[in-house]
Amino acid sequence: MPEWPPLFPEDKVGSRMKHRSLFLKLLSALLVFGAWEIAGRIPVSFAFPTFLESMQALLAMTLDGRIFVAYGETLKPLVVGIAISAIFGIALGLWIGLSARFDWLFSPVFIVMQAAPLAALIPLLVMAYGIGLTSKVFVVCIMAMPVIVLNTSGAVRNTPSSIKEMATSFLARDRDVILKIIIPAASPVIFSGLRLGISAGFIGAILAELKITPTGVGDIITYSRSIADYPSMYAAIFSIIALAVVFLNVLERFENFLFAGNNRGYASD
């Protein structure tokens, strides 16, 4: 019998979903920026500029190159700290999730790190490592690594035992169980933890620049606040948020590329 073509071809459905997702993201951004513009025009506060004023300040900093020089300083501890946190955080999370002994030994350390007030620890880091790059990298790692480790260990620990037992019954080696069963099954939560860790790393990088030495984007924020140049201050804050959003979207696309089989639609789809 001849096969009838599907009523809703997958490529058309996927294209429609992508367009709808893009439309909703643009609508969300429009609502946020519109509310920002209205709040600045009311005004909510003398120190709260409008969205357009902030974007004009951001354009001015981009044209004269100040923003690029600032990010040249900010990205050094940020990239190094996130790379260390991602590599060692995922490795430690896998290790903790696979071993009850190491879970008992290391999990409390990262729980305490996540709960500890970072602002109180920064003076200790400065005393130990000075005011250079090392202290700022430590701040980023303290913010990012606990989130990555705890999410990874939880995802590995909660991998369905029935899947692991099935692989063992087919004589799969431990390495194959880890690489082909546990990691793919845990990948959605691992990447969620990685995204949260990167977000925390951005916060840590700016906090380090505000609390240790005013360099990079933190210097723009501090200096603009001191001279009451609030549009420039908000422009710098907006730029770091925008960069974080770009990072997270790139990571999400990378996750979809690596683990396409894990993609699941919403119930309304």
Side-chain angles (χ1 to χ4, degrees), residues 114-138:
Q114 190 175 27
L118 183 59
L121 297 178
I122 287 179
L124 300 178
L125 293 174
V126 171
M127 290 176 61
Y129 301 104
I131 59 173
L133 180 64
T134 304
S135 296
K136 296 179 182 180
V137 170
F138 265 103

Side-chain angles (χ1 to χ4, degrees), residues 132-213:
L133 180 64
T134 304
S135 296
K136 296 179 182 180
V137 170
F138 265 103
V139 172
V140 174
C141 290
I142 290 173
M143 289 290 290
M145 191 176 290
V147 182
I148 297 173
V149 170
L150 295 176
N151 275 271
T152 300
S153 62
V156 171
R157 192 184 307 114
N158 293 318
T159 302
S161 58
S162 58
I163 302 178
K164 294 184 284 188
E165 291 170 358
M166 181 185 67
T168 305
S169 67
F170 281 96
L171 304 180
R173 294 175 295 180
D174 290 342
R175 185 182 66 180
D176 293 329
V177 173
I178 294 173
L179 295 178
K180 298 180 179 179
I181 302 295
I182 294 177
I183 292 179
S187 64
V189 180
I190 291 175
F191 271 86
S192 295
L194 195 56
R195 287 195 292 268
L196 291 172
I198 289 176
S199 300
F202 272 87
I203 297 172
I206 299 301
L207 186 61
E209 291 185 336
L210 293 175
K211 295 292 185 179
I212 298 177
T213 50

Side-chain angles (χ1 to χ4, degrees), residues 5 12 23 31 33 41 55 77 85 95-96 116 124 127 138 142 167 223-225 234 239 241 252 257 269:
K12 291 185 178 180
F23 171 75
L31 291 174
F33 298 150
R41 288 183 181 277
M55 292 305 99
S85 299
W95 195 14
I96 292 170
L124 300 178
M127 290 176 61
F138 265 103
I142 290 173
Y223 178 73
S224 299
R225 182 182 58 189
Y234 277 87
S239 70
I241 294 173
E252 183 178 4
F257 173 76
D269 297 339

Side-chain angles (χ1 to χ4, degrees), residues 75-146:
L75 289 178
K76 291 177 185 177
L78 179 62
V79 172
V80 174
I82 285 178
I84 293 173
S85 299
I87 295 171
F88 288 97
I90 292 176
L92 281 171
L94 290 172
W95 195 14
I96 292 170
L98 292 170
S99 172
R101 182 181 303 170
F102 289 109
D103 182 17
W104 177 84
L105 184 63
F106 289 110
S107 285
V109 175
F110 291 100
I111 292 173
V112 170
M113 286 176 62
Q114 190 175 27
L118 183 59
L121 297 178
I122 287 179
L124 300 178
L125 293 174
V126 171
M127 290 176 61
Y129 301 104
I131 59 173
L133 180 64
T134 304
S135 296
K136 296 179 182 180
V137 170
F138 265 103
V139 172
V140 174
C141 290
I142 290 173
M143 289 290 290
M145 191 176 290

